[in-house]
Amino acid sequence: MEFAELIKTPRVDGVVLHRPFMPTVEGTLCLTGHHLILSSRQDNTEELWLLHANIDSIEKRFVGSLGTIIVKCKDLRVIQLDIPGMEECLNIASSIEALSTLDSVSLMYPFFYRPLFEVIEDGWQLFVPEEAFKDLESMTDEWRLSEVNKDFSVCPSYPSLLTVPKDIDDESLCKAASFRHGGRFPVLSYYHKKNGMVMMRAAQPLTGTNGRRCKEDEKLINATLCAGKRGYIIDTRTIAVAQQAKARGGGFEQEANYPQWRRIHKAIERSNVLQESLIKLVESCNDQSHSMDRWLSKLEASNWQSNVKEILTTACLAAQCIDREGASVLVHGTEGTDSTLQVTSLAQIILDPSCRTIRGFEALIEREWLQAGHPFQQRCAQSAYSNGKPRSEAPVFLLFLDCVWQILRQFPCSFQFNENFLIMLFEHTYASQFSTFLGNSVAERVKLLLSQKTVSLWSWVNRPQELERFLNPLYEPNNLVIWPSVAPQSLQLWEGVFLRWNRSTKCLDEAYQEMVHIIEYNKELQNKVNSLRRQLAQLETEDSPLQTP
Amino acid sequence: MEHIRTPKVENVRMIDRLTRRKSSVGTLYLSSTHTIFVENSEARKETWVLHSLIYNVERLPTNSSGSPLIIRCKNFHVYRLLIPQEKDCLDVLASLTRLSRPERYGELFCFSFNPNLDKELREKAWGFINLKAEFSRMGIPCNLWHVTAANHEYRLCDTYPSELFVPKSASPAVIVGSAKFRSRGRLPVLSYFHRDTSASICRSSQPLTGFSARSSDDEQMLQAIMKSNPVSEFMYVVDTRPKLNAMANRAAGKGYENEDHYTNIKLQFIGIENIHVMRNSQQKLIDVGELAAPSMSDFLWGLENSGWLKHIKAVLDAGVFIAKAVAEDGVSVLVHCSDGWDRTAQACSVASVLLDPYYRTIKGLMVLIEKDWVSFGHKFSHRYAHLDGDPKEVSPVMDQFLECVWQLMQQFPCAFEFNERFLIQLHTHIYSCQNGNFIGNCQKERRDLRLQERTHSLWPHLWENRAEYTNPLYRTDHSQTQGVLKPLTTAYCFKFWKGMYGRAEKSVASHQSPADCLNAVREESQQLEEELSSHQERLVQLKERKISGERKKTNKLSERVQRPIPTESELSSPLDYFTAPRSEKNTPSFTLPLQLAAPHKNGDPDDLSTCSDFESGVADLSSYSSSGGDDTKDPDSDEVVKANA
């Protein structure tokens, strides 16, 4: 077993754990292949179980023979371990470092994890494209399910089944794919039942500097327009960035070739910029010595909130085009795997009430992120404490969750899930015993045989006993489009994630419990009253023969 | 009425800055107390603006569509009107300018406000808050503290209440001597007594030390205060000013306590800035709220630049320091600033809210305001510009106290009986002059104005409507409602108070409020409880009298409370996401106009919003123009009107 080689010292006694706003714990530190465990071996004290995969970076310090390791986690928590003995400390540190940076996917914990619960509903079978297509078929016959990508050769980052306009044959799809970055030709993302308008997504067209065009691509997207109707192309990049992309073979739809489309450029940042933004934000959130001026200026300089605002605004714009302007929309950026997905998924949350339920939201993540080929493994390899030069890490999905939280905060009664659900998803994208967010595409996941070898996050989360924690007590289903405010004063810092470890949440948790209590009491009363009403009605009907003379 | 030149103007347009399509046409009426806008629409919706709440009125240059007039209120509401005739606009401007700046107390709204209460009820209403009862709730008088008649007829200090609580051990000579050594005679007296530790919070103005003066009476007074807390060996003197300001005061014969002259005191400076700094800071904050389509950077930069949250933090930090000294260390504290009626009031009342759960109730907060602010001579009429006077006297001192309470509510959601609405309502009434409570600058002045005979008290009115102001999460037996609050005052714990300062735009108002939802649920539960017991009764009856033949109809309960189910209009977008922030205005977002589009009206091909405007009627860039001047066209399609309604 290769893990054993990496673990030089599997056990140290007398280790002290410090966590902000929590009592210190003294106990025994154990390292296993996938976990760092600290146990006080006493009843009623919390044990620390930390996945190595959750460790973003570590720092070590020595004072005499007392070593200290500061562990910075991908879920943004920072803990400190005081380890007696210099050698032990060095050993532990190097083991953690090695175990938390294993390169091979097949060594990841999900391949070793055996669930202690019975899988009743297999998450791998929960959201299959065929099912989603059946729903679509019940509303419109304009679309078909194409198998053109069944061996992932046309587009390696797309799933094997794709929804495309009925009148476009697979040959045309292949040609359109050759005209789009990474083969990501325009496919259906969302059908707006209310007015039959659609949202499609793709990657940038490969127009290059000499303005290449592709009739099949034009035909493909025009097929989604009704006669005389126009559509919008939302390019998530500024016009300047889109222009620059031409030099590298990319580009944007030339108006001359797409006369029925109006193009709007927005300014959603690229992934490396977002990663920097996250690092800066977390750094300022972790410094409690900041004066008010310094805090606000650091918050501003991190640009995180600006990114939230820009993404949300673009999603609202897409939704507005569809719902208010009655137009179809095509969304793309450069690769179509990041900002594009932020926009298309958020627009659906705004437009489609079913996306605000737990199942619907899971389906949305499955459809618009996992199957749509967001490279989770690359993006979530490191989080805010990464020291090295970022490769392709970026908090693209975290920003999406942040935007969902902003909408949830503005419409606290419109979502079936609560903030904890979003935080849980954030945690599991970075480190998990489940494999849902492993790999970068459907093709990779198929190759890894995840559905045979590992457990899906959904298999666990959808069990009633887990789900309970994630239900929003205030939820009252409504069928409306919800329009969030994107004014800066309406957008807040997501404290549940960014200040989570920097303050005590006792009082806020109590408030949440109080809210649950009020609503549960109400339900209980309703049940009692209903049952009494029934009893009364029964008694009174039994009574009546006696009453009538 | 002599100030009203034109009592009625027709065809006035009320403009919603963010969504111009929500603008409405109606008639403007000017009464002696209110400006009233009545919409021409079927609903005849009325908007009432109290003249005493008007902060300023600004006229913008007349344009082809009329004369724009902006009315800014002291509670941060902003109304934008478009008046067809320039002459009418000038008349309205002149009338409102005069009416919003009364010159004499007699002109204030409270003297004409008549809620139809008879004399007896009015008197009773004034007795609703009783400070004597409040001190006895604290356990005062006791063997260490008693009431002194030294300020009878306000002869010792005309800005203090006539009844003062002082240490029993302080002789009349010491009291008088101490008053002489304090600015404006505001000697150290009891503000709050903490029963659990016997430590007290006393308040005063600065001592007249200059560079070397001392007063043995004042020194004895502090000694007496310290001794009134038997277990403690020293006391704190908290000077809430920045040390530099306090030192500068010495040149004017004032200053702060010399630790060498007073035995066993520890001097602590807190560093709350003066009223002028606060006034400017709030103005900057208001400007941030009024920015048209700010970017996130504009907003955060503006927030930082205003310094507002920094000042709020300073006030809260002062309260935290005092509360900790009193509750944890059991040490008494004397709080002062310069005059002892602004920063001192803030620090004492914030500390009291932290220390005593009573002040976190609806009635308790009223009592606290009555005690620390009204009775101790906070200069309401000067600070909140009730009369046309020195603008340098105006400052949002009370605003800051209310905001500190709001910030605490964010950290302790179950600790307060009242909700945000209560604080906002209090804020409005501090400025509105509708009731007599906050008129004048001290108790003596209020007595001389005979306010209790001539005006009505606000407190019973708020109390009657307390259901509206109740926090659904509050339970008297909850742990957060017990004991001392220990808030975190790290910078990131402070938030922009959107409910207060985001009010310039009605459209940005929050969509769904969890608190309102919960209140409705609680009300429903209450009715269910009633229904349950009546059903149970009925069930017993039925079972008992199954044969007797008597039959009563099931108790039909009064209408069930409707939970607030969101409606389309509530959830509908008030905003238009097409519009780019100003800073990006020059970057063309659309590279081409749609072929199907009509030619541009405004001749700006880069301006995408003008494009979408005439095409669909949803987008409307000009809604962001603060001038609101080009309001000639109205291309609303029915559909859009409905959608935005």
Side-chain angles (χ1 to χ4, degrees):
Chain A
M1 179 65 220
E2 48 223 294
F3 293 126
E5 293 162 23
L6 298 174
I7 304 170
K8 295 177 190 155
T9 304
R11 237 191 85 155
V12 188
D13 289 323
V15 174
V16 181
L17 166 71
H18 302 271
R19 289 170 293 184
F21 300 97
M22 294 223 226
T24 54
V25 181
E26 190 183 334
T28 304
L29 180 75
C30 298
L31 290 186
T32 72
H34 292 106
H35 286 96
L36 179 158
I37 304 154
L38 188 117
S39 167
S40 65
R41 301 188 174 200
Q42 280 163 359
D43 293 339
N44 304 325
T45 36
E46 209 190 330
E47 290 187 340
L48 175 77
W49 280 72
L50 197 64
L51 262 182
H52 293 315
N54 191 2
I55 295 172
D56 212 19
S57 70
I58 62 167
E59 283 165 23
K60 39 188 189 290
R61 284 200 304 252
F62 293 95
V63 180
S65 68
L66 180 77
T68 292
I69 301 179
I70 303 202
V71 181
K72 298 183 171 181
C73 303
K74 290 175 186 164
D75 60 15
L76 308 183
R77 130 178 66 162
V78 179
I79 61 170
Q80 182 186 327
L81 296 165
D82 293 344
I83 300 171
M86 188 181 291
E87 197 191 331
E88 282 84 354
C89 183
L90 283 170
N91 284 346
I92 296 281
S94 71
S95 303
I96 296 175
E97 216 149 349
L99 290 164
S100 61
T101 51
L102 292 177
D103 262 342
S104 167
V105 183
S106 57
L107 290 179
M108 301 291 238
Y109 187 49
F111 288 96
F112 299 83
Y113 169 73
R114 291 291 160 264
L116 293 172
F117 58 89
E118 193 194 343
V119 176
I120 299 162
E121 198 181 21
D122 185 1
W124 295 115
Q125 305 305 321
L126 219 46
F127 308 102
V128 287
E130 289 93 335
E131 288 298 316
F133 187 74
K134 266 187 207 153
D135 287 347
L136 181 67
E137 256 184 329
S138 67
M139 299 182 277
T140 168
D141 58 358
E142 301 280 306
W143 299 82
R144 70 183 183 93
L145 212 49
S146 166
E147 292 186 358
V148 69
N149 199 39
K150 65 174 181 292
D151 53 2
F152 309 108
S153 59
V154 175
C155 172
S157 63
Y158 268 168
S160 53
L161 290 174
L162 292 155
T163 309
V164 296
K166 198 177 64 185
D167 300 333
I168 306 296
D169 57 24
D170 282 357
E171 200 183 321
S172 303
L173 293 178
C174 291
K175 284 189 178 148
S178 66
F179 180 64
R180 292 274 172 181
H181 191 118
R184 294 176 68 93
F185 58 89
V187 296
L188 181 77
S189 161
Y190 170 67
Y191 179 85
H192 196 43
K193 202 167 147 189
K194 195 165 127 192
N195 59 9
M197 293 302 129
V198 298
M199 179 160 60
M200 286 177 298
R201 52 177 159 74
Q204 65 176 348
L206 303 173
T207 54
T209 38
N210 47 11
R212 224 180 111 213
R213 67 186 287 190
C214 171
K215 291 270 184 209
E216 286 77 8
D217 186 76
E218 291 159 24
K219 213 180 127 198
L220 168 55
I221 70 166
N222 287 340
T224 65
L225 295 176
C226 311
K229 276 277 198 175
R230 65 220 163 83
Y232 287 91
I233 294 173
I234 296 178
D235 191 326
T236 60
R237 306 162 295 179
T238 60
I239 179 73
V241 173
Q243 289 280 11
Q244 284 160 16
K246 283 186 180 175
R248 293 187 299 274
F252 51 86
E253 293 80 359
Q254 295 297 328
E255 27 285 308
N257 303 336
Y258 297 85
Q260 284 165 283
W261 295 83
R262 209 171 128 182
R263 211 175 60 247
I264 306 174
H265 286 275
K266 299 300 285 184
I268 300 182
E269 289 290 358
R270 302 254 315 140
S271 55
N272 51 342
V273 180
L274 299 180
Q275 180 69 7
E276 211 149 284
S277 171
L278 174 69
I279 292 172
K280 281 190 192 160
L281 174 71
V282 171
E283 201 180 84
S284 44
C285 288
N286 283 350
D287 191 337
Q288 280 153 41
S289 67
H290 281 331
S291 70
M292 187 64 75
D293 286 354
R294 190 149 173 78
W295 156 247
L296 288 172
S297 102
K298 284 247 176 187
L299 179 64
E300 195 259 314
S302 80
N303 255 333
W304 183 264
Q305 294 295 92
S306 302
N307 288 321
V308 169
K309 177 168 154 61
E310 197 58 39
I311 294 165
L312 206 50
T313 308
T314 310
C316 289
L317 176 69
Q320 187 184 348
C321 289
I322 294 169
D323 187 67
R324 290 291 168 82
E325 311 252 317
S328 286
V329 171
L330 169 66
V331 184
H332 71 73
T334 302
E335 291 162 339
T337 54
D338 296 293
S339 57
T340 305
L341 305 182
Q342 289 172 330
V343 173
T344 55
S345 52
L346 285 168
Q348 292 180 52
I349 286 169
I350 293 165
L351 293 170
D352 184 358
S354 73
C355 292
R356 299 172 219 142
T357 65
I358 288 197
R359 277 301 162 100
F361 191 66
E362 291 172 358
L364 181 78
I365 289 170
E366 190 71 41
R367 233 175 31 237
E368 291 298 306
W369 291 89
L370 291 161
Q371 291 171 15
H374 175 66
F376 275 101
Q377 199 172 308
Q378 289 178 5
R379 296 287 180 258
C380 303
Q382 296 258 262
S383 162
Y385 303 119
S386 56
N387 298 321
K389 203 169 168 244
R391 286 162 299 173
S392 8
E393 291 83 3
V396 176
F397 189 69
L398 175 58
L399 270 162
F400 159 72
L401 293 176
D402 195 328
C403 292
V404 176
W405 178 79
Q406 304 286 350
I407 307 176
L408 169 64
R409 221 181 50 79
Q410 292 184 29
F411 299 93
C413 307
S414 298
F415 288 80
Q416 192 188 13
F417 50 87
N418 60 19
E419 177 180 6
N420 293 335
F421 190 63
L422 300 175
I423 296 174
M424 180 276 295
L425 287 170
F426 157 63
E427 290 173 341
H428 283 276
T429 52
Y430 280 91
S432 176
Q433 65 271 47
F434 306 107
S435 61
T436 297
F437 297 109
L438 285 188
N440 294 303
S441 61
V442 174
E444 283 189 31
R445 273 174 223 120
V446 169
K447 217 167 150 192
L448 287 166
L449 301 174
L450 293 184
S451 60
Q452 288 103 299
K453 290 185 168 174
T454 64
V455 185
S456 159
L457 172 66
W458 313 132
S459 302
W460 169 74
V461 131
N462 287 334
R463 301 164 70 237
Q465 51 271 63
E466 298 299 334
L467 218 47
E468 210 177 322
R469 283 188 292 147
F470 302 126
L471 289 173
N472 173 10
L474 291 171
Y475 180 53
E476 291 277 338
N478 72 68
N479 278 316
L480 303 170
V481 175
I482 50 175
W483 297 107
S485 161
V486 294
Q489 49 191 0
S490 304
L491 303 177
Q492 279 192 5
L493 178 70
W494 189 6
E495 299 171 17
V497 164
F498 298 110
L499 300 180
R500 183 177 179 189
W501 313 102
N502 299 331
R503 55 176 190 175
S504 158
T505 53
K506 182 176 158 277
C507 292
L508 301 178
D509 294 343
E510 282 171 358
Y512 185 81
Q513 284 313 317
E514 199 60 34
M515 186 167 88
V516 171
H517 171 79
I518 290 171
I519 287 163
E520 271 174 3
Y521 176 64
N522 177 273
K523 284 188 183 143
E524 202 180 296
L525 276 176
Q526 266 172 3
N527 289 339
K528 276 190 194 159
V529 166
N530 284 341
S531 100
L532 272 182
R533 278 190 195 143
R534 273 194 302 275
Q535 280 186 48
L536 276 173
Q538 208 176 1
L539 274 176
E540 290 191 350
T541 39
E542 275 170 19
D543 251 6
S544 31
L546 297 169
Q547 306 257 324
T548 26
Chain B
M1 294 302 275
E2 75 261 37
H3 307 303
I4 301 171
R5 301 191 192 176
T6 311
K8 179 180 173 187
V9 187
E10 283 176 342
N11 291 318
V12 171
R13 184 173 280 270
M14 173 101 87
I15 294 159
D16 187 316
R17 189 165 59 130
L18 282 192
T19 322
R20 280 269 299 288
R21 265 148 237 295
K22 283 190 179 174
S23 302
S24 46
V25 180
T27 307
L28 193 71
Y29 298 91
L30 262 63
S31 82
S32 56
T33 56
H34 290 83
T35 295
I36 306 140
F37 177 79
V38 184
E39 279 181 24
N40 287 349
S41 67
E42 212 148 288
R44 312 282 304 163
K45 194 181 152 234
E46 294 175 9
T47 306
W48 288 59
V49 182
L50 189 59
H51 290 152
S52 44
L53 267 179
I54 294 177
Y55 168 66
N56 71 18
V57 191
E58 184 190 353
R59 189 178 77 91
L60 300 174
T62 302
N63 58 41
S64 56
S65 52
S67 286
L69 197 68
I70 303 177
I71 302 176
R72 293 193 179 82
C73 294
K74 291 171 180 171
N75 59 354
F76 315 122
H77 285 295
V78 178
Y79 301 94
R80 294 182 165 77
L81 302 173
L82 191 69
I83 297 170
Q85 300 297 322
E86 188 174 39
K87 186 193 159 292
D88 290 336
C89 183
L90 287 168
D91 281 352
V92 171
L93 174 69
S95 306
L96 287 184
T97 305
R98 176 62 189 86
L99 287 165
S100 62
R101 286 182 206 156
E103 286 160 1
R104 299 171 291 108
Y105 278 121
E107 288 176 40
L108 292 179
F109 179 45
C110 57
F111 295 106
S112 55
F113 174 66
N114 183 5
N116 284 325
L117 281 184
D118 60 39
K119 193 163 168 273
E120 202 177 317
L121 277 173
R122 177 194 289 218
E123 274 166 24
K124 211 174 139 211
W126 278 110
F128 182 72
I129 302 288
N130 178 345
L131 289 185
K132 229 174 182 159
E134 170 56 11
F135 277 97
S136 85
R137 187 191 67 85
M138 291 182 214
I140 304 290
C142 63
N143 57 343
L144 296 165
W145 295 87
H146 70 165
V147 66
T148 169
N151 202 33
H152 185 64
E153 286 301 316
Y154 309 101
R155 51 185 178 216
L156 203 56
C157 170
D158 60 359
T159 59
Y160 261 179
S162 57
E163 279 189 358
L164 297 172
F165 291 88
V166 292
K168 250 188 185 163
S169 55
S171 69
V174 163
I175 292 171
V176 173
S178 173
K180 280 188 182 144
F181 191 64
R182 293 276 166 178
S183 186
R184 298 174 196 272
R186 293 173 67 93
L187 73 154
V189 295
L190 184 72
S191 164
Y192 178 72
F193 180 74
H194 194 60
R195 261 184 167 166
D196 298 352
T197 59
S198 291
S200 62
I201 302 176
C202 292
R203 56 183 290 170
S204 70
S205 62
Q206 62 187 338
L208 304 175
T209 52
F211 289 101
S212 58
R214 58 190 289 183
S215 150
S216 78
D217 286 333
D218 194 59
E219 287 157 23
Q220 282 178 49
M221 186 70 187
L222 262 66
Q223 191 68 11
I225 290 171
M226 196 202 84
K227 290 255 167 77
S228 301
N229 181 3
V231 288
S232 132
E233 283 158 9
F234 71 100
M235 71 180 284
Y236 282 110
V237 173
V238 169
D239 190 327
T240 56
R241 301 169 292 184
K243 191 171 183 186
L244 214 62
N245 299 21
M247 284 167 75
N249 263 295
R250 292 201 298 191
K254 298 164 187 171
Y256 53 91
E257 292 79 356
N258 183 335
E259 276 172 289
D260 297 336
H261 297 163
Y262 293 81
T263 36
N264 301 323
I265 67 159
K266 283 189 188 171
L267 193 59
Q268 174 79 33
F269 291 96
I270 298 273
I272 304 175
E273 297 289 347
N274 65 29
I275 57 167
H276 312 293
V277 174
M278 301 307 192
R279 177 176 58 245
N280 294 334
S281 169
Q282 193 191 41
Q283 188 51 52
K284 285 184 189 160
L285 185 75
I286 294 166
D287 293 345
V288 172
E290 274 206 53
L291 283 178
S295 71
M296 189 55 83
S297 293
D298 292 342
F299 174 73
L300 288 175
W301 188 85
L303 193 58
E304 182 199 336
N305 183 50
S306 76
W308 183 255
L309 289 179
K310 177 173 65 188
H311 301 315
I312 297 295
K313 176 171 153 56
V315 176
L316 193 55
D317 277 331
V320 169
F321 178 88
I322 298 165
K324 184 177 173 293
V326 168
E328 282 178 36
D329 312 336
V331 175
S332 293
V333 183
L334 169 67
V335 187
H336 72 73
C337 47
S338 298
D339 292 313
W341 51 42
D342 293 317
R343 288 171 275 203
T344 299
Q346 287 176 331
C348 290
S349 53
V350 169
S352 301
V353 167
L354 294 172
L355 284 167
D356 195 330
Y358 178 62
Y359 298 128
R360 298 172 222 146
T361 64
I362 291 179
K363 178 102 185 255
L365 188 69
M366 297 176 183
V367 168
L368 183 65
I369 290 172
E370 194 68 38
K371 173 171 75 73
D372 275 348
W373 296 82
V374 178
S375 87
F376 275 113
H378 175 63
K379 304 203 292 174
F380 280 93
S381 278
H382 283 164
R383 295 292 176 259
Y384 311 113
H386 292 161
L387 298 178
D388 193 21
D390 183 359
K392 286 208 172 67
E393 281 283 330
V394 179
S395 189
V397 183
M398 190 90 190
D399 301 36
Q400 291 182 319
F401 165 65
L402 294 174
E403 178 156 344
C404 283
V405 176
W406 181 81
Q407 299 283 0
L408 288 172
M409 284 161 71
Q410 307 312 300
Q411 285 194 41
F412 304 97
C414 306
F416 294 84
E417 188 191 11
F418 47 83
N419 58 17
E420 176 183 22
R421 199 175 292 145
F422 186 58
L423 298 179
I424 291 176
Q425 191 69 12
L426 283 173
H427 178 267
T428 294
H429 279 293
I430 283 157
Y431 286 89
S432 76
C433 302
Q434 178 178 302
N435 300 86
N437 302 65
F438 307 123
I439 305 303
N441 295 308
C442 60
Q443 202 178 67
K444 178 171 182 292
E445 206 174 353
R446 274 186 290 276
R447 192 196 61 175
D448 294 347
L449 283 167
R450 292 188 294 116
L451 285 172
Q452 301 209 357
E453 296 153 49
R454 299 166 66 202
T455 70
H456 294 268
S457 171
L458 171 68
W459 304 127
H461 170 72
L462 292 179
W463 181 248
E464 277 158 28
N465 296 306
R466 62 189 176 279
E468 220 180 296
Y469 304 124
T470 303
N471 170 15
L473 298 176
Y474 179 82
R475 246 192 313 126
T476 44
D477 55 349
H478 195 283
S479 64
Q480 286 181 37
T481 59
Q482 321 293 319
V484 182
L485 296 184
K486 291 172 194 158
L488 201 62
T489 60
T490 319
Y492 55 61
C493 296
F494 291 81
K495 292 177 189 163
F496 173 77
W497 190 0
K498 188 176 160 235
M500 181 66 90
Y501 296 103
R503 284 196 287 174
E505 309 306 338
K506 281 183 278 293
S507 345
V508 198
S510 67
H511 300 90
Q512 293 171 344
S513 143
D516 287 347
C517 259
L518 285 176
N519 267 330
V521 171
R522 283 205 349 180
E523 216 173 302
E524 190 186 68
S525 294
Q526 235 166 42
Q527 295 191 355
L528 284 169
E529 276 169 0
E530 285 168 30
E531 189 174 345
L532 193 67
S533 63
S534 91
H535 280 343
Q536 274 161 346
E537 243 171 66
R538 177 79 189 128
L539 204 63
V540 172
Q541 274 177 4
L542 271 176
K543 280 179 179 159
E544 277 174 359
R545 305 183 189 173
K546 214 169 172 182
I547 316 168
S548 79
E550 194 223 332
R551 200 162 167 191
K552 196 172 84 186
K553 266 208 162 174
T554 337
N555 197 355
K556 279 257 171 5
L557 255 147
S558 53
E559 263 178 69
R560 294 281 292 278
V561 184
Q562 288 289 310
R563 297 241 196 121
I565 295 165
T567 63
E568 175 89 37
S569 67
E570 272 177 72
L571 301 184
S572 279
S573 162
L575 292 170
D576 176 11
Y577 306 100
F578 270 90
T579 316
R582 277 175 316 158
S583 48
E584 290 161 29
K585 212 167 179 179
N586 297 327
T587 340
S589 306
F590 271 67
T591 50
L592 74 164
L594 266 187
Q595 293 211 331
L596 311 172
H600 296 294
K601 276 187 199 168
N602 296 353
D604 182 3
D606 291 338
D607 190 336
L608 65 98
S609 307
T610 49
C611 301
S612 63
D613 184 19
F614 47 78
E615 275 168 30
S616 65
V618 171
D620 181 0
L621 175 79
S622 46
S623 62
Y624 279 94
S625 119
S626 60
S627 76
D630 53 344
D631 199 47
T632 44
K633 61 197 189 297
D634 200 349
D636 287 1
S637 69
D638 281 347
E639 185 204 21
V640 173
V641 171
K642 199 176 147 215
N644 278 335

